[in-house]
Amino acid sequence: MLRLLTKSAISAPKRSINWNQGVLRLSSTFTIPKTQKGVIFYESNGPLHYKDIPVPVPKPNEILINVKYSGVCHTDLHAWQGDWPLPTKLPLVGGHEGAGVVVAKGSEVKNFEIGDLAGIKWLNGSCMSCELCETGHESNCEQADLSGYTHDGSFQQYATADAVQAARIPKGTNLAEVAPVLCAGITVYKALKDANLKAGQWVAISGAAGGLGSLAVQYAKAMGYRVLGIDGGKGKEELFNSLGGEVFIDFTKYKDSKEMINAIKEATKGGPQGVINVSVSEAAISMSTEYVRPTGTVVLVGLPAHSYVKSEIFSHVVKSINIKGSYVGNRADTREALDFFSRGLIKSPIKIVGLSELPSVYDLMKSGKILGRYVVDTSK
């Protein structure tokens, strides 16, 4: 371990740090090692190696975060399996829900200080100069840099993030509990906004007991909506009810889709005005176009590989329904979503395991056996 104090103090180690360009501003408060523990893979669907890897050096516009905890998202599974049409960088350190402490920053960074709490989001950085960035759609930027996908992410003890996009986390925040909010929370909050609902209207959460769904239920309640949850399996109804949901539909208890659709319509007296699809079931997503209320909105969030949403055209037109995709939120959505959490309106139903146990978490994820959100402790 090396304590980075002054220019002379780091002259001995062979680090790619150019002080003449003012790349780093460091603090004597933190000790930054040359290597760290992380989970890395070298080929899609290849072995996941928990090993020593170099600590990254932040660029002038970046901060270096000592990641304490990171949520595990279904996107991380896709990144490892390589089954999305968007290619990943290889080798890759996954993860994009990292919460930790700023221990170094680039010379251009003005919005973070050493010792601040910060979060690594899915959107690590964007160009901030194109039309999409100018209008608050940074995540849609063609030059978007994605944590745990095109940029090494939070399944390591130290990770970098563009300071403009990094999330500001209030001091005193429980970093393990806030980690899932950095992707799952922001994503479902943005999706609920995209549904354009009014207080008192019904919203169905398809996949209500998973990592995204468990947060979507809470955000929906906090926003004044009535919540119907759809999921199936042991313990999922109990979790949904504990989060404040109103009506639970266990899809395993219906003989066919028609019976289930009728049950949803009956419970909501005509169908929910909005549906948030966070499940990764192609059939469930297409079914939502059948039970959504006329003039309602079906929001697509979950990303099952090689899948399509199917809506029968006659009914789609006659019911005047809307189908829209909702990607991750922007900086304002991030601030708002974290504010719900800070005010105690959102609780993350998490299970903490060591970073070294990430492969077993992926196994549980593939078999659909996860309740809530798994969070990895990078120190284990």
Side-chain angles (χ1 to χ4, degrees):
M1 301 284 281
L2 175 74
R3 183 172 296 277
L4 299 180
L5 299 172
T6 65
K7 180 176 178 179
S8 59
I10 69 155
S11 58
K14 295 180 180 179
R15 299 289 300 277
S16 56
I17 301 175
N18 188 337
W19 281 91
N20 294 328
Q21 295 179 1
V23 172
L24 291 180
R25 293 178 184 173
L26 302 155
S27 168
S28 60
T29 306
F30 298 99
T31 299
I32 303 174
K34 294 175 64 177
T35 61
Q36 58 168 333
K37 291 295 185 182
V39 174
I40 189 170
F41 59 91
Y42 296 88
E43 58 182 343
S44 296
N45 218 27
L48 293 162
H49 301 276
Y50 176 68
K51 59 184 291 189
D52 289 328
I53 58 177
V55 172
V57 176
K59 297 175 183 177
N61 62 311
E62 293 180 333
I63 55 176
L64 179 66
I65 301 172
N66 178 199
V67 179
K68 300 299 186 182
Y69 297 94
S70 178
V72 185
C73 177
H74 214 276
T75 295
D76 299 317
L77 179 63
H78 287 294
W80 169 54
Q81 293 178 324
D83 57 4
W84 277 358
L86 178 66
T88 64
K89 72 175 285 293
L90 289 173
L92 178 68
V93 176
H96 58 275
E97 292 181 346
V101 183
V102 178
V103 294
K105 67 176 188 173
S107 58
E108 297 174 5
V109 175
K110 296 180 174 59
N111 60 329
F112 280 97
E113 298 298 333
I114 305 301
D116 285 350
L117 301 185
I120 295 170
K121 308 183 302 180
W122 170 244
L123 182 63
N124 195 287
S126 65
C127 78
M128 296 307 294
S129 61
C130 68
E131 176 185 347
L132 290 165
C133 287
E134 288 176 350
T135 55
H137 300 286
E138 305 101 285
S139 59
N140 301 110
C141 174
E142 291 185 359
Q143 298 180 45
D145 193 18
L146 308 175
S147 300
Y149 209 91
T150 61
H151 187 111
D152 284 335
S154 53
F155 293 153
Q156 55 184 336
Q157 293 173 318
Y158 293 86
T160 56
D162 187 325
V164 171
Q165 291 295 343
R168 296 188 63 84
I169 299 176
K171 291 186 182 297
T173 299
N174 183 311
L175 294 179
E177 291 185 359
V178 79
V181 176
L182 297 170
C183 174
I186 297 166
T187 297
V188 297
Y189 173 66
K190 171 67 158 41
L192 287 162
K193 289 174 67 175
D194 284 341
N196 294 316
L197 300 174
K198 297 178 181 178
Q201 291 185 326
W202 281 98
V203 61
I205 310 295
S206 181
L212 274 77
S214 58
L215 291 171
V217 170
Q218 297 176 74
Y219 275 105
K221 287 290 291 182
M223 296 165 78
Y225 309 144
R226 301 181 71 179
V227 186
L228 178 143
I230 304 169
D231 217 318
K234 183 179 179 181
K236 295 192 175 182
E237 182 173 4
E238 291 78 7
L239 175 61
F240 174 79
N241 290 334
S242 72
L243 298 174
E246 187 169 342
V247 175
F248 186 79
I249 298 292
D250 186 338
F251 66 80
T252 67
K253 296 182 178 179
Y254 294 90
K255 63 181 181 181
D256 55 34
S257 61
K258 183 177 180 180
E259 184 180 54
M260 179 173 150
I261 289 168
N262 288 336
I264 294 171
K265 288 183 175 180
E266 182 178 351
T268 56
K269 294 182 171 56
Q273 285 89 351
V275 183
I276 310 299
N277 281 292
V278 294
S279 77
V280 289
S281 165
E282 182 177 19
I285 292 169
S286 293
M287 189 191 302
S288 67
T289 67
E290 299 182 57
Y291 61 71
V292 69
R293 189 182 296 246
T295 74
T297 300
V298 171
V299 183
L300 309 180
V301 180
L303 294 169
H306 315 299
S307 299
Y308 297 85
V309 57
K310 298 176 182 178
S311 177
E312 190 266 316
I313 294 176
F314 184 86
S315 298
H316 191 133
V317 172
V318 171
K319 289 173 62 180
S320 301
I321 66 172
N322 308 287
I323 300 177
K324 62 192 306 183
S326 181
Y327 200 23
V328 294
N330 60 20
R331 289 168 294 161
D333 298 319
T334 298
R335 173 177 48 77
E336 293 166 8
L338 286 171
D339 183 61
F340 275 89
F341 178 86
S342 296
R343 289 187 286 132
L345 299 173
I346 306 297
K347 303 291 184 184
S348 299
I350 61 173
K351 180 176 177 61
I352 301 174
V353 299
L355 176 59
S356 60
E357 298 178 59
L358 182 62
S360 63
V361 177
Y362 282 167
D363 289 338
L364 290 171
M365 191 173 283
K366 285 189 285 187
S367 61
K369 296 181 179 179
I370 289 182
L371 283 174
R373 198 70 155 184
Y374 267 76
V375 170
V376 293
D377 179 342
T378 65
S379 69
K380 300 178 181 179

